[in-house]
Amino acid sequence: MQPRLFFLLALLAIVSACKEELDMAPPGVPTLTAPQAAMVAALDTTLWPTDSVPLATPDTDLKWLDAVAEKRVVALGEATHGTREFFQMKDRIFRYLVEQHGFAAFAFEADFAESIYLDQYLQTGSGELRNLMETRMHFWTWRTEEVHDLLAWMYDYNVNIPEEAPLRYFGVDCQYLTYQHFLLEAYLRPVDPILADRVKEVVWAITAEDQQGFVNTTSDQHAAWQDSLEVLSVAMEARRNALIGASDYLTFEMHKHLLRSVHQVMQVKVAVVLGDQATNWRDAFMAENTEWILEVMGPAAKICVWAHNAHVARNALYGLGGAMGYHLGQSLGQDYAVIAFGFSQGQFTAVTERTGSFHGLNTQTIDELPRPTSANFLLHHAAPAAFVIDLDALALTPDWYDYFRGTQSFLQIGSIYNGVPSRYYRDLDLDDVFDWLVYYKHTSFARQL
């Protein structure tokens, strides 16, 4: 056979084979490479399938949680702030950890002062839950039917199982001065009117400056206010017995912590005004507040924390100083576990952003498959529609070992979305910053109240 004829026949054979391959896959749809297919096969042998309807998940399908049940803090993340499945699965996980392992509180990425109103409802039933959420919760992210159902369950648990220590709700965030001054004055005035006046004078002055964005606050004024708050905290401590006698231990500690909350909010905002960006104060304070909850609830207390994946991650590089999870990992060590959440496609709630302007809270949709070079692309090809992964166990399999030695591209969206999914992939060392991953191939949006 002539070389030219042989070459033409070989070329035709290659073209024919490529055409058959293209005919088998829909146009424009990326397919797995052979190494990726091997990784997915290994993934399918190590994952735990779970129900696509989270609240329908039976206890038998949550046995994987027994591996983290002795941790003092189990952090539950989310890859968006508005996904129904994430919220409902966190609800289901918390119920299991309460009923099977004695967890005592849920701490949210919500401001501390507002959480006192919600916690009072859980303890006494004072107020109406939906109204409290609509009027006291600052963030739209938690004003949802899913969080309402969780809090309603916590209240029912407290009522129906009175022999158990009541479940508590805390906020660990520190972005706003909202109700600190009202709550402190209402708590102090019946017992110590003079101290109430002193607190009112200082906290109201700081709150007034906060309303102006602390733009006129000098470093000297900031230091003076910090000193004043510390003096007031010492004064409250001196009145500890009388104040506890008029309320109870935890109520006293929560109101005393309001002064620390004022300090934290001021520090976060003044740092921006003064150009001090060397520390991620917000995440550092969220970690501090979580540790404070453990301290006041006692050495045996175990709690869950609800926040975005970015905050719960053991990520030293997040925000110039590290994420909340990094700080908790440093202080708690093996007593801290992170359960992150991920997804491929579907709907979620977020504020719409277009060319630098914002267009309100809307239902967002991602129809396209995950980026082919991302971890999400591999996870999307697993057999179940919803599943849980022990990332440390997966990293020990030969097919994933080398993959986890570097960073992985992972889809995470905050409260704002511009409609371009490719801009929301983040490079993370997944098995280092998270312990477990709950994954849904398709999601729906969280329902606003």
Side-chain angles (χ1 to χ4, degrees):
M1 182 181 295
Q2 294 294 323
R4 183 177 176 81
L5 179 60
F6 178 82
F7 174 80
L8 289 173
L9 289 173
L11 183 60
L12 286 171
I14 292 171
V15 170
S16 176
C18 288
K19 184 178 184 304
E20 286 182 18
E21 231 176 82
L22 290 171
D23 288 343
M24 292 171 60
V29 176
T31 56
L32 292 168
T33 64
Q36 286 177 324
M39 293 174 71
V40 171
L43 171 64
D44 282 335
T45 66
T46 59
L47 58 74
W48 294 66
T50 192
D51 203 303
S52 294
V53 181
L55 292 179
T57 305
D59 281 357
T60 52
D61 287 352
L62 293 170
K63 289 296 183 181
W64 59 273
L65 285 167
D66 296 344
V68 300
E70 296 311 310
K71 309 291 186 183
R72 294 206 69 195
V73 176
V74 174
L76 305 176
E78 57 200 31
T80 86
H81 275 318
T83 297
R84 182 175 179 84
E85 286 75 13
F86 298 167
F87 288 13
Q88 289 189 332
M89 187 57 165
K90 290 198 273 191
D91 179 345
R92 185 66 187 91
I93 287 171
F94 181 68
R95 296 187 193 196
Y96 181 86
L97 291 175
V98 168
E99 294 174 332
Q100 302 298 324
H101 296 287
F103 275 60
F106 217 149
F108 269 58
E109 183 190 332
D111 280 297
F112 177 70
E114 72 180 43
S115 73
I116 290 181
Y117 291 100
L118 277 301
D119 185 68
Q120 287 174 346
Y121 171 81
L122 295 185
Q123 311 313 312
T124 67
S126 60
E128 193 274 323
L129 179 56
R130 183 176 293 265
N131 178 259
L132 285 171
M133 293 178 68
E134 290 175 342
T135 59
R136 299 302 186 191
M137 281 185 163
H138 189 92
F139 293 129
W140 58 263
T141 46
W142 320 136
R143 293 196 301 266
T144 66
E145 296 287 353
E146 295 80 13
V147 174
H148 177 278
D149 292 345
L150 165 65
L151 294 174
W153 179 85
M154 293 173 70
Y155 172 76
D156 288 342
Y157 183 92
N158 288 348
V159 170
N160 295 322
I161 311 181
E163 66 274 12
E164 299 288 337
L167 300 177
R168 313 297 302 226
Y169 171 84
F170 295 94
V172 295
D173 211 344
C174 52
Q175 295 190 81
Y176 301 97
L177 291 180
T178 49
Y179 311 112
Q180 287 90 336
H181 49 314
F182 296 116
L183 286 163
L184 276 164
E185 185 175 1
Y187 179 69
L188 292 170
R189 190 157 299 283
V191 178
D192 192 331
I194 295 175
L195 181 55
D197 285 338
R198 290 170 60 194
V199 167
K200 180 178 179 179
E201 180 182 357
V202 173
V203 177
W204 276 67
I206 296 172
T207 303
E209 195 66 23
D210 172 62
Q211 293 171 355
Q212 305 302 317
F214 291 102
V215 293
N216 299 313
T217 302
T218 64
S219 56
D220 288 343
Q221 179 63 74
H222 180 218
W225 275 333
Q226 287 178 316
D227 290 343
S228 295
L229 290 169
E230 182 60 32
V231 169
L232 292 174
S233 181
V234 171
M236 280 192 72
E237 183 63 30
R239 298 286 284 147
R240 165 182 286 271
N241 291 340
L243 291 167
I244 291 177
S247 55
D248 58 67
Y249 163 75
L250 200 51
T251 299
F252 166 77
E253 292 292 350
M254 291 175 75
H255 283 80
K256 181 184 170 188
H257 196 67
L258 285 167
L259 292 170
R260 182 61 183 166
S261 171
V262 174
H263 168 98
Q264 292 172 351
V265 175
M266 180 172 61
Q267 178 65 52
V268 167
K269 294 188 174 184
V270 171
V272 174
V273 172
L274 298 180
D276 173 16
Q277 299 301 301
T279 301
N280 179 359
W281 288 109
R282 182 185 171 205
D283 276 77
F285 287 143
M286 286 199 290
E288 176 191 314
N289 292 337
T290 302
E291 294 180 62
W292 169 83
I293 294 168
L294 294 178
E295 179 183 347
V296 297
M297 293 200 69
K302 297 182 291 185
I303 70 172
C304 285
V305 174
W306 176 316
H308 193 275
N309 283 350
H311 292 302
V312 300
R314 291 189 195 84
N315 188 351
L317 303 178
Y318 181 73
L320 296 177
M324 171 181 67
Y326 166 72
H327 295 289
L328 290 173
Q330 291 292 105
S331 60
L332 297 176
Q334 294 301 310
D335 264 336
Y336 180 65
V338 185
I339 301 173
F341 285 69
F343 75 113
S344 299
Q345 300 168 304
Q347 296 183 316
F348 57 95
T349 309
V351 173
T352 299
E353 186 266 327
R354 295 287 185 273
T355 62
S357 60
F358 302 101
H359 303 274
L361 190 64
N362 296 287
T363 298
Q364 315 289 344
T365 303
I366 294 179
D367 291 323
E368 62 190 64
L369 285 175
R371 177 191 286 175
T373 56
S374 69
N376 300 72
F377 184 73
L378 296 168
L379 299 172
H380 182 76
H381 285 84
F387 52 92
V388 181
I389 312 165
D390 179 344
L391 290 168
D392 288 337
L394 183 62
L396 294 176
T397 64
D399 292 294
W400 286 80
Y401 179 79
D402 285 338
Y403 182 73
F404 277 131
R405 293 178 70 182
T407 59
Q408 300 80 45
S409 179
F410 190 66
L411 180 62
Q412 297 196 142
I413 298 165
S415 58
I416 299 170
Y417 182 64
N418 69 5
V420 184
S422 61
R423 296 184 180 179
Y424 293 88
Y425 284 87
R426 302 290 180 262
D427 289 333
L428 298 169
D429 192 341
L430 291 176
D431 66 319
D432 274 358
V433 299
F434 305 137
D435 298 307
W436 295 77
L437 178 65
V438 182
Y439 199 84
Y440 294 92
K441 291 184 182 180
H442 300 282
T443 62
S444 55
F445 62 91
R447 276 59 169 176
Q448 294 291 300
L449 290 179

